[in-house]
Amino acid sequence: MIYLDNQASTPLAPEARDAMLRHLDGPDGTNYANPHSSHRMGRQAAASIEVARERVAVLLPAGGQVIFTGGATEALNLAIRGSGEGKVAFSAIEHSAVGDTVRATRPHHELNVDQDGICDPAQKLPADTSMIAVMQANNEIGVVQPSADWDRRAKEVGALHLVDAVQTYGKIQVTEADLIAVTAHKLYGPKGIGALWVRDGVRLTQQQSGGGQEAKLRSGTLSPALIAGFGAAAQVAADRMEEDAEHTKLLWSRARELFSDWELNGSGEHRWHGNFNIRREGLDASRLMSECRQIMFSAGSACASGSGRPSHVLKAIGLTDKQAKSSIRLGWGRYTTLDEIEEAARVINAAVKEQEAWA
Ligand code: PLP
């Protein structure tokens, strides 16, 4: 099997796994205390959480606080629901964790993207905009937004700037913002743990009441093992950021050659090179998926694999339904090899030829 679905989730880094096992087992099997208890075992668990918090924070701007959550969806909900009632301007290609939450809870304005998938920071904003949400890189097409310009624009209009940095955290420098959502499982860490970074001075209201953990913003007992895994993954990412980016770009260059007769969806220039969303006229992408079962990739037309929801992202960049249904997304990362890219291209291109022969 060849795994090319790194935008959906990444393999667990061995360093993250080791850190988690150490926290589950403990040196003498006694590492199960509640990190919010004030006895010695509780304080040990709390200390390991603080070490991980520092590691997670290293990849985020200075001058803010890391609030652990159950993932980015929860972090984004806390940011959007917890930051007041004013109008939210959000890009047409935000993940549903932003788009659906904004639509359900706040007055809103959708920001356009161009055919490359770029959301232009010079575009018109409603006068009463109180929050701007433009993700740093898109999960479907990998396009990287001019986030620093959006941050300046937000400051000019006096709006809070929320960035969904799920796809970029630990891979490219995360932008300045007021609120940043991240998650461990796109960074070779475990699923079920993420964080909201909150700039000092930004006021949020809690969205669930209880024990008042995480600066009274996110009640609930923290999981030292998940957080240790997140911290270890962040530390490895910080150490290898350049090396990982180079490796990703190498695979990108080879993939461009191997799929040279496919069209790229989204900007070729402003992008994370681990995301390859491509289309080919007349292709039935969902049939292709069933014909290439040994390759784990996704049909570009679906918002989330298997959701059946058509991609609002491909629509927003101007693709027709037919073009969207002829699109696939290949996503590679740190542990993908050149041989795997070669083999995936061989299998996919052979299946495409077969489809075309019978068309
Ligand atoms: N935002 C983006 C861009 C994503 O790709 C995802 C995950 O698919 C999320 C948010 C949600 O993250 P989580 O799975 O941690 O809730």
Side-chain angles (χ1 to χ4, degrees):
M1 274 197 299
I2 297 178
Y3 186 77
L4 293 179
D5 201 17
N6 278 260
Q7 278 73 46
S9 200
T10 48
L12 191 64
E15 296 88 343
R17 184 175 182 276
D18 288 350
M20 287 167 72
L21 289 176
R22 275 199 307 277
H23 280 80
L24 287 174
D25 296 341
D28 50 4
T30 56
N31 219 1
Y32 46 76
N34 187 320
H36 312 293
S37 296
S38 51
H39 49 64
R40 185 161 155 220
M41 278 169 62
R43 285 204 310 275
Q44 272 168 357
S48 65
I49 285 176
E50 293 319 308
V51 169
R53 197 188 302 276
E54 285 292 308
R55 291 178 174 159
V56 169
V58 162
L59 294 164
L60 291 160
Q65 198 182 3
V66 170
I67 303 294
F68 285 119
T69 61
T73 301
E74 192 193 329
L76 290 161
N77 269 267
L78 174 59
I80 294 162
R81 293 170 189 267
S83 59
E85 293 176 348
K87 187 169 282 175
V88 181
F90 68 109
S91 89
I93 60 169
E94 291 302 296
H95 187 274
S96 52
V98 171
D100 288 0
T101 308
V102 168
R103 279 187 211 97
T105 60
R106 306 271 294 259
H108 50 272
H109 167 80
E110 206 168 288
L111 298 163
N112 295 325
V113 297
D114 65 18
Q115 61 184 23
D116 278 343
I118 304 285
C119 188
D120 180 3
Q123 69 187 276
K124 208 161 180 289
L125 284 172
D128 54 348
T129 301
S130 68
M131 172 180 264
I132 294 173
V134 178
M135 68 203 315
Q136 193 170 14
N138 183 263
N139 46 304
E140 291 186 48
I141 55 175
V143 171
V144 174
Q145 301 296 334
S147 293
D149 295 339
W150 272 113
D151 196 52
R152 273 191 287 280
R153 185 80 198 277
K155 285 196 174 77
E156 270 164 34
V157 300
L160 281 179
H161 183 206
L162 166 64
V163 174
D164 172 347
V166 163
Q167 296 287 337
T168 45
Y169 174 71
K171 296 178 182 152
I172 57 179
Q173 197 55 50
V174 170
T175 188
E176 286 292 320
D178 295 306
L179 296 157
I180 301 173
V182 298
T183 195
H185 75 103
K186 315 277 183 176
L187 185 79
Y188 314 101
K191 292 164 189 61
I193 185 73
L196 181 67
W197 178 87
V198 184
R199 177 172 293 294
D200 293 341
V202 171
R203 296 265 277 276
L204 294 177
T205 51
Q206 63 171 14
Q207 295 304 299
Q208 62 191 44
S209 46
Q213 289 91 345
E214 294 301 272
K216 298 197 167 49
L217 282 177
R218 198 272 190 178
S219 285
T221 304
L222 290 173
S223 163
L226 287 178
I227 291 173
F230 189 6
Q235 188 174 34
V236 177
D239 291 347
R240 299 179 46 128
M241 200 184 277
E242 246 175 74
E243 196 184 327
D244 282 353
E246 267 170 34
H247 176 65
T248 305
K249 210 160 177 185
L250 178 82
L251 300 183
W252 162 268
S253 304
R254 187 65 188 126
R256 284 292 262 174
E257 289 165 4
L258 293 165
F259 292 93
S260 58
D261 47 357
W262 293 63
E263 291 289 323
L264 179 69
N265 291 328
S267 169
E269 192 187 345
H270 304 287
R271 68 157 44 249
W272 168 243
H273 291 96
N275 178 311
F276 196 48
N277 193 318
I278 47 177
R279 68 176 190 277
R280 200 176 157 100
E281 211 186 309
L283 174 76
D284 180 342
S286 44
R287 207 179 115 197
L288 184 72
M289 280 185 74
S290 62
E291 288 160 348
C292 305
R293 287 189 187 279
Q294 70 273 46
I295 320 282
M296 310 298 119
F297 65 105
S298 71
S301 61
C303 204
S305 266
S307 72
R309 261 166 89 177
S311 162
H312 63 290
V313 175
L314 297 185
K315 250 188 150 142
I317 62 170
L319 264 56
T320 61
D321 284 355
K322 210 163 156 225
Q323 287 173 318
K325 285 186 181 138
S326 303
S327 299
I328 60 170
R329 183 188 68 187
L330 308 179
W332 47 81
R334 182 186 296 157
Y335 304 111
T336 314
T337 65
L338 207 47
D339 283 352
E340 287 178 314
I341 298 291
E342 304 266 354
E343 175 62 6
R346 192 190 62 73
V347 171
I348 291 171
N349 283 326
V352 168
K353 271 220 176 80
E354 188 77 4
Q355 264 197 28
E356 287 172 354
W358 289 94

